[in-house]
Amino acid sequence: MATIGQWWDKIYHFTSCLSPWVIAASVIAIANLKVLPFAWHIRILSGYLKYFYFDRRSIPPSSPTSLTVFQPTIYTSRAPMGELDYNMHKSNATYLTDLDIARGYHVYCLFRVGIKKYNTGAERRKGMFIPALGGVTLTFKREIKPYQKYDIWTRVLSWDDKWVYLVSHFVKAGSVKPTTFTDHPWRNKSPSSREPSASTAATPQVIIFTMCISKYAMKQGRKTIPPVEFLQACELLPKTTDETPVSDPSDVSVGGTPGLTQRLSTHRATSNPESGLLDAIEKRRQEGLGVAKNVASLDQAFEWFRGDEDAVFAYY
């Protein structure tokens, strides 16, 4: 067996045969793996393969104090040299590439049960099922410096009769440390190890770089699957057998049509074992819906295109 010294001699002999340009190009490529050709496709595909071919676990159930449908997933990345702009920080356009990957992992992880049902299982219908991205809005707060590490926290913000809204936050890595991982229990530490010591009792400052809200329509061929129906198939919302609708004037979606409680057609009676869970989910959904309405109203900007009225200042 070759010793470390012998391996080093082989590496040195190999590199000495290469030109300085090849070595420099290799170093640059390694330092920018994230932005190399087909890197985006590989990152997306790895998440898909993980949750549809290797990870076949069921979704952990929700409770009134732990709403699985709203729990975030975390995707970690850095800003390599190839993503920097002339200000020497992460370019605005590259946030969208990271969001593709982070949202992909979140959708594949949280919605994996429902996607499998609609594509190959009991809910399969005509046409392929895909979560179709319908819009993205970004708000910048702080810059991300070269090669700085950051976490992308993605979670379900709310939903209405057509769209499922996701919110993503770019957060400085390490500024927020989860206490438990619902879907990755092997990452959980013992309770004693989570207790902060006297020297680390102070909570670190949470640094948020950017916030993004995205909206998805769940499409089966040309048909749009109602979000409530899809989330029930994902085992993230309880299915009820009571067919008596609840009339709640405050429970409306963005378009003014019946919201979650009416769509589930369930009583709020205390005798219903699912009533506490449904109330907790609906309360959280309504809170997020207040923000989601602002995103939905952006569709009105399509009417501002007036190519037949406005003079064109320049053409390039």
Side-chain angles (χ1 to χ4, degrees):
M1 181 179 294
T3 64
I4 295 178
Q6 291 173 331
W7 278 110
W8 175 253
D9 290 339
K10 292 180 180 180
I11 294 174
Y12 178 79
H13 177 72
F14 174 75
T15 55
S16 63
C17 297
L18 302 176
S19 69
W21 291 108
V22 173
I23 296 176
S26 301
V27 171
I28 293 174
I30 293 173
N32 292 274
L33 289 175
K34 181 180 174 183
V35 295
L36 291 179
F38 303 108
W40 181 92
H41 302 81
I42 294 173
R43 295 163 70 195
I44 283 285
L45 184 61
S46 63
Y48 180 84
L49 294 176
K50 171 179 172 60
Y51 288 107
F52 289 93
Y53 289 92
F54 300 104
D55 194 341
R56 299 180 178 274
R57 293 173 295 113
S58 59
I59 294 294
S62 294
S63 68
T65 58
S66 180
L67 304 178
T68 303
V69 64
F70 295 110
Q71 290 183 346
T73 57
I74 304 174
Y75 182 83
T76 301
S77 188
R78 293 182 184 271
M81 181 176 61
E83 288 190 337
L84 305 184
D85 60 14
Y86 50 79
N87 292 317
M88 293 306 294
H89 56 64
K90 184 174 173 64
S91 173
N92 296 341
T94 61
Y95 285 86
L96 294 173
T97 304
D98 277 336
L99 284 167
D100 283 341
I101 311 301
R103 287 191 307 250
Y105 270 82
H106 187 79
V107 169
Y108 298 151
C109 175
L110 190 66
F111 300 153
R112 61 181 185 264
V113 173
I115 294 176
K116 290 176 183 176
K117 288 181 180 178
Y118 279 100
N119 274 331
T120 60
E123 303 292 339
R124 184 177 182 180
R125 304 172 188 176
K126 184 178 180 180
M128 182 179 181
F129 176 87
I130 58 170
L133 183 65
V136 179
T137 177
L138 280 163
T139 301
F140 301 102
K141 188 175 183 181
R142 296 174 183 263
E143 76 279 2
I144 296 179
K145 299 177 181 179
Y147 289 96
Q148 184 171 8
K149 188 177 181 181
Y150 51 88
D151 297 331
I152 306 176
W153 291 58
T154 303
R155 74 187 79 209
V156 172
L157 174 65
S158 187
W159 60 87
D160 55 31
D161 283 347
K162 179 178 180 181
W163 303 104
V164 175
Y165 298 91
L166 303 184
V167 60
S168 302
H169 295 88
F170 287 72
V171 181
K172 183 178 179 181
S175 63
V176 183
K177 295 183 178 180
T179 56
T180 58
F181 293 87
T182 302
D183 197 46
H184 290 174
W186 56 88
R187 295 181 180 269
N188 295 330
K189 300 179 180 179
S190 61
S192 59
S193 64
R194 292 199 301 265
E195 296 177 359
S197 61
S199 59
T200 61
T203 302
Q205 182 182 6
V206 179
I207 299 177
I208 301 177
F209 299 115
T210 303
M211 182 276 299
C212 168
I213 298 179
S214 312
K215 61 179 184 179
Y216 276 94
M218 304 304 166
K219 306 290 289 187
Q220 183 91 56
R222 299 182 63 87
K223 180 181 179 182
T224 300
I225 306 298
V228 168
E229 179 182 328
F230 173 71
L231 293 174
Q232 286 178 331
C234 293
E235 301 177 6
L236 295 170
L237 294 182
K239 291 186 177 181
T240 59
T241 57
D242 192 345
E243 297 299 331
T244 305
V246 175
S247 179
D248 184 353
S250 66
D251 181 29
V252 294
S253 70
V254 171
T257 52
L260 170 64
T261 311
Q262 291 179 335
R263 294 295 300 275
L264 285 176
S265 299
T266 180
H267 284 298
R268 289 184 181 271
T270 55
S271 59
N272 185 350
E274 301 287 359
S275 61
L277 176 59
L278 292 175
D279 287 341
I281 292 175
E282 178 62 3
K283 179 181 178 182
R284 179 70 176 266
R285 186 189 78 96
Q286 290 288 349
E287 291 173 353
L289 203 56
V291 179
K293 288 179 180 178
N294 298 321
V295 178
S297 65
L298 293 177
D299 289 342
Q300 299 174 10
F302 284 107
E303 302 173 3
W304 280 77
F305 181 77
R306 302 168 183 174
D308 58 340
E309 299 178 8
D310 300 335
V312 177
F313 187 74
Y315 185 86
Y316 301 99

